[in-house]
Amino acid sequence: MIRSTLIHCLIALLLAAATPLYAQKTAENAAPTAQGYENETKAQRDARMAWWRDAKFGLFIHWGVYSVPAGIYKGEPVKGYAEKIMSGAKIPMAEYQLYAKEFNPVKFDANAWVKMAKDAGMKYIVITAKHHDGFAMYPTKANQWSLVGASPWKHDPLQELAEACRKYGLKLGFYYSQAQDWHNGGSVSGGVENKWDPAQHHDLDDYIDNVAVPQVKELLTQYGDFPAVLWWDTPGSNRPNITQPQAAKLRKLVHELRPDVITNNRLGGGFMGDTEVAEQNIPPEGFPGLDWETCMTMNGTWGYNRADDRWKSTEVLLRHLCNIASKGGNFLLNVGPTSEGVIPEPSIEVLNGIGQWMKVNGEAIHGSRSTPFHDPHLQLNPKKQGKKRFEPVWDWRCTSKPGMLYIIIFDWPVTGEFEVPGLLSKVNRAYLLADPQNLKFTQGDDRVRLMLPKEAPDPIASVVCLEIADAQAKVAPKPEGWELPVEAESAPGTDAPQSRTAQDALTPVVKGPGRHRKLLARIKEGPVGLLFLGDSITDKWPSKGLESWVRFAHYQPANFGISGDRTEHVLWRITNGELDGIQPKVTVIMVGTNNIGHFNDEKAEWTADGIKKIVEVVHEKLPKTKVLLLGVFPRARPKVTGKKIEAINRIISKLGDAEKTVYLDIGQKFLDTTGEPSTEIMPDGLHLNANGYEIWYEAMWPTLETMLKE
Ligand code: FHN
């Protein structure tokens, strides 16, 4: 009793002391926090995104002075991506600068590069204007660490590429490493302070104001209608670097100078951007409802590495293209040119191969939208433990356009008969993209049976067009009990967890010391669209192996549940600014259980009061969020009577105002027929097991989904 009274006094003091501070912070943040596109209507956004959505296939180019060492330092191969050799080998700045003197790409031919991309069926190019080594691949006025300032090659390849792109009808985008900059005072891998050369020690704010801001301004204003895309990178992968106000300065530039530019979700500071990025992987279901892109290397590196010959085949990359398109995404496929300006031959061969296929079958990719079918074409490999248990099945994929389905068949049937299951729309006509003659087919029992020629028109992938009677295909519903695997299909090592799956986002990051700080860093890494705030109830759930969490993935979820936290702790954390700067659309609050458990003598009013304060502070700190407040759950260990929980929930239910706070009591679902907490789903009397979480999900998802979609 005395203890809880003391705690409440302490909270009151903390709140009183902290109020002016966070009020002031909120005011400071107000201007840069503006998303810029918040007033954009759906029609405006659709118009702005139209070319990108139709493009489907683009070329990523990682090119810079790192192509001089090309993965080798002092005669030894350096582990990791070749473009990051400076940090990989901790090369001092003065020494690294010498590479610039050798960077003389006399064989660079912008027209040839763009034509190569066009012939491959690519519709846009994104090139590194500045990577983490800070070297500007264009003549910047911000400093001398650029092509013109430090290399013998006084060119502006961005300008030359822009002209070539206009000539060949492609869009040009710029990659800009806005937070990491190992030369100019930006952050470095492993943390802002983790620099390896005293010459690197500058202030991050100074770097943002005097390098990043002027350079981004140059990039946005010096290239006419380009860039069409601004591709941010590494806002802080598990390391706190760019802050919300710093990121806001860059976001503001884009908004003011080129609001039409498409940006990805990697700026940091809680800014969502326009497109989701999946790096080196293909999410099982894509990001339904969102614009997304998989970027991928052709071998094991982005920048040129002379020793890397792990080239993926045309077949593999073409299947990726079809697979990504079938999930509604874009494929940004990378090349790493040499310091002479030559794109490695194996890359060219693959692009030629894909280009030949696209000439015949490009219609199935360009302008297409995702498959209407539910099957993600993945199979479980029971022998594999942990990650990547699911493997893609290379049987077929589907893309769509109004009134048309494109069935892309990888595994051509020897029988000549191919079945498309689950199609309810009437098929009017079937034909191959490679041959417009009508194909015979029958339709019935929710499926279409196609009679195909014995020989596949293409050894890798052949496309059958189905003209259907409905603009949007009608398909059979998801089978009962069907669950989507959470693992991505392929995810070779990357230091970039920004493309977070639900599993990534909801799994507690680390155990042991510093866990809370790291968890927070991960949340701040953003963007966060859906925040769960709680105690062990949220902290523990991912360890239950729930594959259904992927259902949240589309909403950029983050989990800030800390085992053992009581309402006081949660309140203390958020009052003291831990969540400042993130802008979830919805915050789900699940607290209170620990208060009723640990302090059985705590009055219901007190617990309710703590929860009420949490809701208030969340609204104050995260002004754009809506709150889904779940009623306190019942518990059997130690036993807390239903009456007390009812009393708390009766009070907090009044917080629901249907506008910014929705209150939902789902506690009844966790009781057995006698009204006691069910040991079936709460074996320890306190925490839900996998079934319990499914019940929890079913009970709260309809409300949460409505709030997310509002
Ligand atoms: O560290 C970089 C890496 O070098 C490369 O640029 C990729 C491309 O997506 N992005 C970063 C890692 O996420």
Side-chain angles (χ1 to χ4, degrees), residues 511-546:
K511 298 275 174 219
R515 188 177 158 272
H516 162 237
R517 184 174 48 77
K518 288 179 187 161
L519 178 57
L520 197 58
R522 182 164 196 156
I523 289 172
K524 292 276 177 163
E525 174 192 300
V528 173
L530 167 60
L531 179 71
F532 291 93
L533 208 58
D535 44 41
S536 54
I537 268 305
T538 62
D539 185 16
K540 292 223 166 127
W541 72 41
S543 62
K544 309 285 176 196
L546 295 176

Side-chain angles (χ1 to χ4, degrees), residues 630-631 633-634 663-670 695-697 699-700:
L630 296 189
F633 296 165
Y663 170 79
L664 188 65
D665 183 4
I666 56 172
Q668 290 292 325
K669 307 264 179 199
F670 306 141
I695 292 169
W696 167 85
Y697 174 84
M700 63 103 216

Side-chain angles (χ1 to χ4, degrees), residues 62 83-84 131-132 175 231 233 266 279 295 302 495-496:
H62 274 70
E83 73 281 3
K84 303 203 326 192
H131 204 264
H132 310 331
Y175 166 111
W231 216 95
D233 208 2
R266 290 185 168 189
E279 180 168 322
C295 61
W302 301 92
D495 65 349

